[in-house]
Amino acid sequence: MECSTPLKCGICLEELTDGVAIGQHKTGNGDVLRQDCSHQFCRACMSEYVSHRISEHRVFDIRCPHPTCPAQLFEADVQRLVTPDIFAKYSALLKQDFTARVDHLFNASHSQDHLETLRVLHDESRICPKCGVILQRSQGCNSMYCFCGTNFHYASAARVGGQRFSSVLKLAAQESISIAQARQFDGDYARFKRAHQLAAMARSDLEAADRLGRRASAGDEEARALVARLRREARAAQNVEAEACTAAAFAYELPLLSGDDPATSKANEDCSKSTISVNQVKSL
């Protein structure tokens, strides 16, 4: 008479009770994300294993407990194994981590290669509305299934960086500023230049100058009066510089041409500063 050996749990090594198998996992579109790994565990042991990972905030790359098994546990697996409270914590940590990874892209080095990578991500990928993972569609319709099991409309899902991110990247590249700073101006080149000029006249930071410019554009009388005063002061300063430039030219009896003489260079430098100031004021 042939005796069957009782199955044992791969965690507690005791006889299997209420066994849980890590079977094949597919997306709603039928794509196979995981093959059946054939390892079995007690439900209570698996629940404790997964819950412990979540308590340590290690929510990524939860795999089959067998030492050499590559089978990954997905959100649907976790939901079947843990209590609703623990699963809610898992989902929140998962989205928080994905969001942090996306934010890290904006704070990394802003080389041309990095900006191009962000441009491609913005143009060709979408963000899962539930877990926040970045997904790229290779082909097919707009019915998209995320790894977490969420089904969403791909074309209408959020893009990396938001709808105006292309303008943000363009401004960052044109002005050699950080993506965070370009996002402050929503990629609006004219708004950035206006704030830059106001900041120079008011001797303030860009953020304060931008707030002033926006208030003035919205019709705030106090802000408009302040901008007008800054313009007058800038014009007055420009006139003083222009008069000093002319006086220097007459005093040295030299034309305003480039030359090696220190006096000529000084006069030209003063005049150049005056011209820049005029252009800044006139463009406001």
Side-chain angles (χ1 to χ4, degrees):
M1 182 175 179
E2 187 176 336
C3 296
S4 60
T5 304
L7 293 174
K8 291 188 176 183
C9 169
I11 296 176
C12 68
L13 304 181
E14 299 291 336
E15 185 175 339
L16 194 68
T17 56
D18 190 15
V20 176
I22 301 176
Q24 187 184 69
H25 185 78
K26 296 181 179 181
T27 67
N29 292 331
D31 298 322
V32 177
L33 298 179
R34 181 188 65 213
Q35 295 291 354
D36 187 342
C37 76
S38 76
H39 299 121
Q40 296 193 46
F41 309 91
C42 298
R43 181 174 296 276
C45 292
M46 277 295 289
S47 177
E48 184 177 353
Y49 164 70
V50 175
S51 297
H52 183 68
R53 285 285 302 253
I54 296 170
S55 71
E56 294 181 332
H57 292 199
R58 296 164 61 205
V59 294
F60 279 92
D61 203 33
I62 301 178
R63 296 184 179 273
C64 169
H66 190 279
T68 60
C69 184
Q72 182 178 348
L73 271 65
F74 293 92
E75 193 162 352
D77 301 310
V78 175
Q79 188 171 20
R80 286 194 294 266
L81 289 169
V82 300
T83 64
D85 287 347
I86 293 177
F87 180 72
K89 180 179 180 181
Y90 166 82
S91 297
L93 288 170
L94 200 66
K95 187 164 187 175
Q96 176 183 318
D97 198 280
F98 274 131
T99 302
R101 292 184 185 201
V102 172
D103 289 342
H104 175 71
L105 292 174
F106 303 142
N107 299 320
S109 61
H110 300 138
S111 64
Q112 287 301 317
D113 288 344
H114 181 68
L115 292 175
E116 178 61 19
T117 298
L118 289 176
R119 187 195 64 75
V120 172
L121 281 175
H122 171 77
D123 292 345
E124 302 179 9
S125 63
R126 298 294 185 272
I127 298 176
C128 172
K130 183 178 181 182
C131 71
V133 69
I134 298 174
L135 298 168
Q136 187 175 35
R137 182 185 62 185
S138 58
Q139 60 183 358
C141 67
N142 282 312
S143 179
M144 188 76 168
Y145 279 88
C146 178
F147 303 114
C148 70
T150 301
N151 177 225
F152 63 95
H153 189 266
Y154 184 84
S156 58
R159 295 171 179 262
V160 173
Q163 292 298 324
R164 287 188 52 82
F165 196 52
S166 292
S167 298
V168 169
L169 294 174
K170 185 177 180 180
L171 177 59
Q174 281 182 333
E175 297 298 319
S176 299
I177 60 176
S178 69
I179 292 177
Q181 196 170 34
R183 292 184 82 186
Q184 175 188 330
F185 296 93
D186 204 23
D188 189 329
Y189 179 80
R191 178 180 155 193
F192 171 79
K193 295 303 289 185
R194 175 73 59 86
H196 193 273
Q197 292 158 3
L198 278 174
M201 290 192 297
R203 294 181 177 83
S204 68
D205 58 67
L206 274 177
E207 186 175 352
D210 181 47
R211 287 198 302 269
L212 175 61
R214 295 178 71 184
R215 284 173 52 203
S217 297
D220 185 306
E221 292 300 328
E222 183 181 0
R224 289 168 67 90
L226 178 54
V227 170
R229 180 169 67 81
L230 288 171
R231 286 174 174 170
R232 289 194 300 271
E233 291 176 354
R235 288 192 183 100
Q238 180 272 324
N239 289 335
V240 170
E241 290 177 356
E243 290 172 2
C245 174
T246 303
F250 277 115
Y252 296 118
E253 296 182 346
L254 293 170
L256 296 180
L257 300 171
S258 60
D260 296 328
D261 184 82
T264 305
S265 299
K266 180 64 170 61
N268 285 335
E269 182 182 349
D270 290 340
C271 291
S272 297
K273 289 180 180 177
S274 299
T275 303
I276 292 170
S277 298
V278 170
N279 290 338
Q280 288 178 334
V281 173
K282 285 184 177 179
S283 62
L284 289 172

